[in-house]
Amino acid sequence: MKNKLLLSIVVISMLVVTSCSDLLDVEPKQSIDAGQALDTPQKIEAAVIGAYDDLSSVDLLGGTVIYGSDLLGDDGSVTWFGTFSQPDELWSKNILTDNSFVRDVWLQGYETIDATNNALSALDVIDDPDMRDRVEGQAKLIRGIVYFELVRFFGRDWGDGDPSQNLGVPIVLEPTRNFDNPPTTRNSVEAVYTQVINDLTDAKNLLPPSIEVDNTVLGNTYVASAYLSRVYLQQREYEDAGLEAGRVINSGNYSLTPLVSGAFNNPTNSTEDVFAVQVSDQDGSNDMNTFYAGSQYSGREDIELTGYFSLFTGLFNADDDTRDDFIHFGASFGGPLTSKWINFRNGNINIVRLAEMYLTRGEASFRTGTDINGVPAEDDFNMVRNRAGQEDIDAADIDLDYVFNERYIELAFEGHVLHDTKRFERSASGFAWNAPELIFPIPQREIDASGGELEQNDGYGS
């Protein structure tokens, strides 16, 4: 991945990203001087669409942010069989400071943030108040999502010590125009979370229930609520998490697909997708497909199911074909693989599903001892269980182990396991939930570029 010295502007034309129900089309990016680029409302709006493209890259939501959580948080459930050393370092919890996959999460993250900052800096060009709100809300939604992912990977967990003192990531809210002078100071975990909540709350309040631009649909107010539910969940603010998840559920915009398999490998959003990204031919590889799928689906068969295999097969009768919804076997090496990512390039990458919102509200009700939105915890869990062909669970049978395992099964291979492991204070392959090995190092490139002023994470030297 290369740094961009110029603002990227895109024109809507080819499929790149989707976040509600339709797909967003863009042409290849063109580098235009930032001072000249943001001189019309249409160009500012196009810049935000370009930021969506950045967000969907293989270094962020199109790959590393999802499988990085699965590998780093693995507790004997998957095995990395690939030849790339960088993901293997994540899986073995032995990450080097020059790991290029980790480096590119950081670089792509700040590149995406810079694109949103550029758009936000030019809002005065927009006279139409509705369009201004829409552009501001979209930019802040993207920026909030990126900062949340960065602080979760590069900072200590919210519950690990004092978030007001623990180092997070640098907060940059003004356009940099270039990356020759990277930030040299890391803000606290608490400060980054505050920025994330502010951005997502602004997006929630600015964005309508649906947005169409040139016959395409972009992220809406409910996408902001869905991400706020994740943020509050990680902060252990369970009531707030449940209320935001309930807002998505009660919107009526989404419904569970009849079968779990119906939520995946779709060319357009399913009824269950609250937020998803689309990878097109022009974007190149779909890393979820590349690393998880069998060669018959154009994958590399790199991440094989180990503990998950017996777990999933044990859920169903031996003659129940439902197992095929979850597992397939690689054509090259024959190992068990997940079937969630067998779409080659042009299928959706699910980021937030309605099933997650039910699990979040159910957990919040259980932890707080209240029925959030008037719905008992077991009712939310049973919505997800019944759709998967499982029997009802009674309130008396719900405990923290059950809640963790329900998320572990339903949300497998969707990038949750590392963050849930930390939140539930469980171990991962013998490493404690708050071990330094479960945090990304600050890339050595950034340490060097800052003249050594950017402080490294514990366990990685200086």
Side-chain angles (χ1 to χ4, degrees):
M1 189 200 75
K2 298 180 179 178
N3 290 331
K4 296 178 184 174
L5 302 183
L6 302 175
L7 177 67
S8 295
I9 296 297
V10 295
V11 182
I12 302 175
S13 169
M14 296 290 295
L15 293 175
V16 188
V17 75
T18 174
S19 54
C20 290
S21 62
D22 294 339
L23 302 178
L24 187 65
D25 301 346
V26 303
E27 288 181 352
K29 299 179 181 180
Q30 301 174 10
S31 293
I32 301 175
D33 180 82
Q36 299 175 10
L38 302 179
D39 56 1
T40 70
Q42 292 73 28
K43 289 180 179 179
I44 299 169
E45 196 162 47
V48 173
I49 294 170
Y52 269 111
D53 189 26
D54 292 336
L55 183 66
S56 70
S57 77
V58 296
D59 304 310
L60 294 177
L61 299 187
T64 310
V65 162
I66 301 179
Y67 70 73
S69 170
D70 293 343
L71 292 175
L72 193 57
D74 171 60
D75 190 33
S77 297
V78 299
T79 302
W80 173 261
F81 280 107
T83 57
F84 288 121
S85 62
Q86 298 93 333
D88 183 65
E89 291 175 12
L90 271 61
W91 179 68
S92 63
K93 284 70 167 174
N94 186 29
I95 309 173
L96 301 180
T97 59
D98 63 352
N99 185 297
S100 62
F101 283 44
V102 170
R103 177 202 66 200
D104 289 349
V105 171
W106 179 285
L107 294 179
Q108 185 67 53
Y110 278 101
E111 181 176 311
T112 306
I113 289 167
D114 197 51
T116 64
N117 288 341
N118 275 310
L120 291 168
S121 73
L123 288 176
D124 288 343
V125 174
I126 305 174
D127 294 326
D128 182 335
D130 291 337
M131 182 179 183
R132 180 185 173 117
D133 284 352
R134 182 174 68 240
V135 170
E136 181 180 356
Q138 294 290 334
K140 288 186 173 180
L141 173 66
I142 296 168
R143 189 171 68 180
I145 290 172
V146 175
Y147 270 124
F148 182 50
E149 299 299 352
L150 290 178
V151 75
R152 289 202 293 178
F153 278 101
F154 290 98
R156 290 165 66 178
D157 181 68
W158 180 268
D160 180 13
D162 185 351
S164 69
Q165 298 299 316
N166 293 338
L167 294 178
V169 296
I171 298 175
V172 181
L173 302 180
E174 299 295 331
T176 62
R177 309 298 189 200
N178 63 66
F179 295 83
D180 291 336
N181 298 301
T184 59
T185 302
R186 296 172 61 184
N187 294 87
S188 70
V189 168
E190 180 180 65
V192 180
Y193 268 83
T194 298
Q195 182 60 48
V196 169
I197 292 171
N198 288 342
D199 275 347
L200 294 178
T201 301
D202 284 349
K204 171 187 170 182
N205 294 331
L206 288 166
L207 296 176
S210 64
I211 306 172
E212 289 196 20
V213 179
D214 292 344
N215 299 317
T216 64
V217 180
L218 306 180
N220 59 37
T221 181
Y222 300 117
V223 176
S225 279
Y227 257 93
L228 278 169
S229 76
R230 288 185 175 183
V231 175
Y232 290 133
L233 202 63
Q234 207 66 38
Q235 286 186 308
R236 286 70 160 173
E237 298 289 347
Y238 294 109
E239 182 177 6
D240 288 337
L243 289 172
E244 292 294 346
R247 184 171 183 264
V248 178
I249 295 168
N250 294 332
S251 71
N253 280 22
Y254 316 98
S255 60
L256 295 177
T257 57
L259 297 175
V260 178
S261 57
F264 297 93
N265 304 304
N266 297 305
T268 60
N269 280 24
S270 76
T271 60
E272 188 167 334
D273 284 318
V274 179
F275 188 55
V277 298
Q278 178 79 23
V279 179
S280 71
D281 289 334
Q282 77 177 59
D283 284 322
S285 63
N286 172 343
D287 271 5
M288 304 307 295
N289 172 270
T290 297
F291 294 140
Y292 282 99
S295 58
Q296 67 269 41
Y297 299 110
S298 302
R300 289 172 49 93
E301 306 182 16
D302 285 343
I303 302 176
E304 290 192 5
L305 281 60
T306 47
Y308 270 118
F309 176 67
S310 58
L311 176 63
F312 281 134
T313 55
L315 290 173
F316 307 103
N317 296 326
D319 57 351
D320 191 342
D321 288 338
T322 307
R323 288 178 298 174
D324 296 334
D325 291 343
F326 300 94
I327 297 170
H328 68 283
F329 292 88
S332 295
F333 306 112
L337 307 165
T338 178
S339 295
K340 284 188 174 181
W341 308 115
I342 58 177
N343 53 320
F344 176 59
R345 285 192 180 173
N346 291 333
N348 278 1
I349 296 177
N350 314 77
I351 305 301
V352 182
R353 294 189 291 121
L354 184 62
E356 178 193 339
M357 298 295 97
Y358 280 115
L359 294 179
T360 294
R361 190 174 67 178
E363 178 181 347
S365 292
F366 169 72
R367 287 186 182 268
T368 60
T370 61
D371 296 342
I372 294 179
N373 298 145
V375 180
E378 63 270 22
D379 287 2
D380 278 331
F381 290 125
N382 287 330
M383 284 290 294
V384 177
R385 291 176 61 85
N386 293 165
R387 192 269 298 269
Q390 303 300 296
E391 296 180 353
D392 281 351
I393 188 170
D394 296 326
D397 295 322
I398 298 174
D399 58 19
L400 289 180
D401 284 340
Y402 165 77
V403 174
F404 180 88
N405 289 332
E406 195 66 64
R407 290 179 61 88
Y408 183 78
I409 295 167
E410 175 66 30
L411 304 177
F413 321 117
E414 297 178 53
H416 294 271
V417 67
L418 173 66
H419 313 300
D420 282 350
T421 293
K422 292 181 177 183
R423 191 163 59 81
F424 282 81
E425 300 187 7
R426 301 169 74 104
S427 63
S429 298
F431 292 91
W433 66 277
N434 57 353
E437 290 84 354
L438 300 187
I439 303 172
F440 281 178
I442 305 302
Q444 190 61 45
R445 174 193 182 280
E446 300 306 299
I447 301 289
D448 295 341
S450 72
E453 294 185 41
L454 197 64
E455 191 170 339
Q456 181 59 272
N457 282 325
D458 291 342
Y460 291 101
S462 57

